[in-house]
Amino acid sequence: MGASLSNTAENGTATGRTGLGDIPESCVACVFMYLTPPEICNLARLNRAFHGAASSDAVWESKLPSNYHHMLDLLPPCRYEGLSKKSIFALLSRPLSFDDDNKEVWLDRISGRICMSISSKAMSITSSEDRRHWNWFATDESRFQVVAYCQQVWWFEVSGTVKFPFPPDIYTLTFRIHIGKFLKRLGRRVSNFEHTHGWDLGPVRYELSTSDGQCVVSECRLHDIEQDDAKGTVKRGCWIEYKVGEFIVSRSNPVTEVRFSMKQIDCTHSKGGLCLDSVSIIPSNLWRRRRTGSFRK
């Protein structure tokens, strides 16, 4: 079919028939306004008109969020000055680090919507300075290359905040956690549950609030979320994304402040053996796609 389309595009005028090559570039650009970036890039190979429309600033401006310039502010001007809107989209679809490289923001390559990840390094963790309770270890399983490991605590409390001009959307906030510790042994990934205890004795409390008064509170026993909701299979030894809740951004000005926390402060028992990687803030329908396996970073 690809060859047929190509032939039609190039040979329509030569044979006296109307083909794709006769469509004005401006009309193609109007159609591209309704397509996704991957679809536009695929069609750009058809002919010159399609290629020209696929490079149009007007087309790619429509794929960028209305306040994309706030993302550009995270970069030195020499990185983006003089770039076309298509090149700016490609630049912003790669993770941009800020706040001492402990937070990242990027555009989803299909929808052009803003996603964010916040490292455990950017969070306030009670007793994290005491290596008897918490330590850090490097791993390529984290986009930040490091995760926090709770060995044993009585008072478990993690909190964080982020201020950012999120464009209008509905967002989902999740914690990425791992029951037990993992390591590489003879080239194979091995999970260790030696220090995992106490999480079945009481629920963990999750909280989410925003600067405009939205608030979500939920509780869950960590051993319960090791069950896959769809199939009922055990996910012990895997990374789990726990959904805290959703918040709505109606306008990007003023800046939205998002506060989040994860607590288990029942001091009648100790708990430990938990890895904490990050918190993600993703448009809700993209998060649902991710849950079904069709989401890509």
Side-chain angles (χ1 to χ4, degrees), residues 133-253:
H133 303 309
W134 286 87
N135 54 63
W136 306 85
F137 69 93
T139 173
D140 58 7
E141 293 190 17
S142 168
R143 65 166 55 244
F144 298 100
Q145 303 301 307
V146 64
V147 300
Y149 178 66
C150 174
Q151 186 156 300
Q152 182 177 14
V153 296
W154 292 82
W155 184 291
F156 178 89
E157 184 171 5
V158 177
S159 61
T161 183
V162 63
K163 294 182 179 180
F164 195 80
F166 292 97
D169 212 328
I170 302 175
Y171 296 89
T172 291
L173 186 144
T174 62
F175 274 88
R176 188 171 188 253
I177 59 178
H178 186 289
I179 305 298
K181 195 174 184 179
F182 55 91
L183 55 108
K184 290 287 182 68
R185 182 176 297 163
L186 299 178
R188 297 182 61 185
R189 186 184 190 276
V190 179
S191 294
N192 186 332
F193 305 102
E194 177 184 358
H195 299 115
T196 303
H197 69 283
W199 302 110
D200 57 332
L201 300 179
V204 173
R205 180 183 176 92
Y206 297 87
E207 296 182 5
L208 159 66
S209 63
T210 63
S211 50
D212 62 356
Q214 300 177 69
C215 183
V216 178
V217 178
S218 61
E219 290 188 347
C220 181
R221 294 177 185 267
L222 291 188
H223 75 285
D224 290 340
I225 63 174
E226 289 184 298
Q227 298 288 330
D228 185 286
D229 292 336
K231 301 179 181 178
T233 55
V234 177
K235 298 173 66 177
R236 191 173 178 85
C238 299
W239 285 103
I240 303 166
E241 287 203 30
Y242 179 77
K243 178 182 176 181
V244 178
E246 297 181 339
F247 64 94
I248 301 172
V249 176
S250 301
R251 53 196 181 101
S252 56
N253 188 20

Side-chain angles (χ1 to χ4, degrees), residues 66-139:
S66 58
N67 61 345
Y68 71 91
H69 57 278
H70 288 294
M71 295 179 67
L72 291 177
D73 289 342
L74 300 174
L75 298 168
C78 61
R79 291 280 305 277
Y80 58 83
E81 286 181 343
L83 292 182
S84 66
K85 292 298 189 294
K86 179 180 180 180
S87 296
I88 288 176
F89 184 94
L91 177 66
L92 298 184
S93 64
R94 295 189 289 269
L96 306 179
S97 299
F98 63 106
D99 282 4
D100 298 323
D101 295 335
N102 290 324
K103 298 174 183 175
E104 290 184 348
V105 63
W106 67 94
L107 297 183
D108 173 58
R109 293 177 181 177
I110 295 178
S111 67
R113 294 156 74 187
I114 284 182
C115 305
M116 182 179 291
S117 187
I118 303 163
S119 169
S120 52
K121 279 284 190 180
M123 303 178 201
S124 174
I125 303 177
T126 301
S127 301
S128 62
E129 70 284 352
D130 191 332
R131 293 182 63 84
R132 295 173 300 174
H133 303 309
W134 286 87
N135 54 63
W136 306 85
F137 69 93
T139 173

